[in-house]
């Protein structure tokens, strides 16, 4: 079975040539790259957040496997849902790292192989063309996450880090998230700075507490917290904010913006 695109032609071009050309514009080959353990990347339509995403992916050295952890916007499927199906985009087909999927599932019974959770979910899909561009031979592990307690997040992120170490895989974990939704630029910026600082501090528990206490509408804060937990397990100790912006830069509307941040952990 192959997971077919759900948002091609909406969030990004549905035509292969047009998508390849857009990737060439968004991803730069002339910046210094880092061996990144984890990253946060936005997942809106490319016209809004593609520049931020492209700047993040431009900084990444290529890996064997990209684990993409995303929120579950649709509510379908399991709380922690992987998919062992190959994924198709207009660029072509990308294979799932079945060996890593199997080992993660052996290391925790919280993760289920549940393609239903991925059928209509856009926040993994929009990352795939970037991955196909920067690492054409790479495999992926797609994981959607619904809200869960700290202990469960630690268990799943720990299962992932243990599995990566056991397999000695070269892995980058991408947390797919936008920031504040549909508030004024001033309000969004104030709230997002608080969340971003927790991410830069490599403080997953603090991020969760801040988002929930300040009612920050950051849709992927749980995936980002898991990425931080994983990164700490892998001995990452540094972080860098690549870019922060909002949808008002494109639309001109600064009263109802969505925030976008790109961060790398190494």
């Amino acid at each position: 079975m192959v997971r077919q695109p759900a948002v091609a032609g909406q969030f990004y071009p549905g035509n292969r040539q047009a998508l390849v050309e857009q990737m060439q514009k968004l991803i730069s080959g002339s910046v210094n790259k880092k061996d990144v353990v984890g990253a946060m990347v936005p997942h809106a339509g490319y016209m809004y957040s593609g520049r931020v995403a492209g700047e993040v992916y431009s900084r990444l050295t290529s890996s064997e496997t990209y684990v993409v952890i995303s929120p579950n916007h649709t509510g379908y499927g399991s709380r922690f849902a992987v998919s062992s199906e190959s994924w198709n985009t207009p660029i072509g087909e990308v294979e799932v790292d079945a060996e890593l999927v199997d080992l993660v599932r052996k290391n925790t019974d919280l993760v289920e192989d549940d393609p239903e959770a991925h059928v209509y979910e856009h926040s993994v899909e929009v990352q795939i063309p970037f991955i196909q561009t920067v690492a054409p031979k790479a495999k992926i592990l797609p994981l959607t996450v619904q809200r869960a307690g700290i202990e469960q997040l630690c268990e799943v992120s720990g299962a992932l880090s243990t599995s990566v170490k056991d397999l000695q895989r070269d892995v980058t974990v991408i947390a797919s998230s936008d920031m504040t939704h549909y508030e004024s630029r001033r309000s969004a910026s104030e709230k997002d700075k608080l969340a971003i600082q927790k991410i830069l501090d490599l403080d997953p528990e603090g991020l969760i507490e801040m988002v929930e206490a300040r009612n920050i509408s950051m849709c992927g804060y749980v995936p980002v917290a898991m990425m931080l937990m994983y990164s700490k397990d892998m001995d990452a100790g540094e972080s860098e904010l690549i870019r922060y912006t909002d949808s008002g830069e494109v639309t001109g509307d600064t009263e109802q913006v969505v925030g976008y941040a790109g961060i790398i952990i190494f």
Side-chain angles (χ1 to χ4, degrees), residues 69-179:
I69 310 176
S70 83
N72 185 325
H73 291 90
T74 68
Y76 294 120
S78 309
R79 176 168 291 181
F80 296 95
V82 295
S83 174
S84 55
E85 297 178 343
S86 296
W87 284 53
N88 194 33
T89 77
I91 291 177
E93 193 171 310
V94 60
E95 186 179 346
V96 167
D97 189 334
E99 190 176 15
L100 183 57
V101 167
D102 289 345
L103 190 53
V104 169
R105 295 192 62 218
K106 286 179 182 178
N107 285 328
T108 174
D109 59 8
L110 292 176
V111 175
E112 299 183 35
D113 189 346
D114 186 358
E116 182 184 8
H118 294 272
V119 172
Y120 301 110
E121 179 56 53
H122 67 276
S123 52
V124 171
E125 179 181 329
V126 297
Q127 308 297 338
I128 306 303
F130 287 100
I131 293 169
Q132 291 175 301
T133 302
V134 299
K137 296 181 180 180
K139 297 180 181 180
I140 62 170
L141 189 159
L143 171 63
T144 64
V145 181
Q146 300 186 40
R147 288 188 64 177
I150 290 287
E151 290 184 1
Q152 292 176 312
L153 301 180
C154 288
E155 178 176 331
V156 175
S157 62
L160 176 60
S161 59
T162 297
S163 301
V164 169
K165 291 174 183 177
D166 287 348
L167 291 175
Q168 298 185 328
R169 278 286 194 278
D170 178 15
V171 169
T172 300
V173 173
I174 304 295
S176 182
S177 181
D178 295 338
M179 300 299 293

Side-chain angles (χ1 to χ4, degrees), residues 181-198:
H181 289 64
Y182 309 121
E183 296 186 24
S184 70
R185 172 174 286 173
R186 179 177 179 179
S187 175
S189 177
E190 289 176 354
K191 290 184 175 182
D192 289 345
K193 284 179 181 177
L194 297 173
I196 287 169
Q197 190 57 56
K198 294 297 183 183

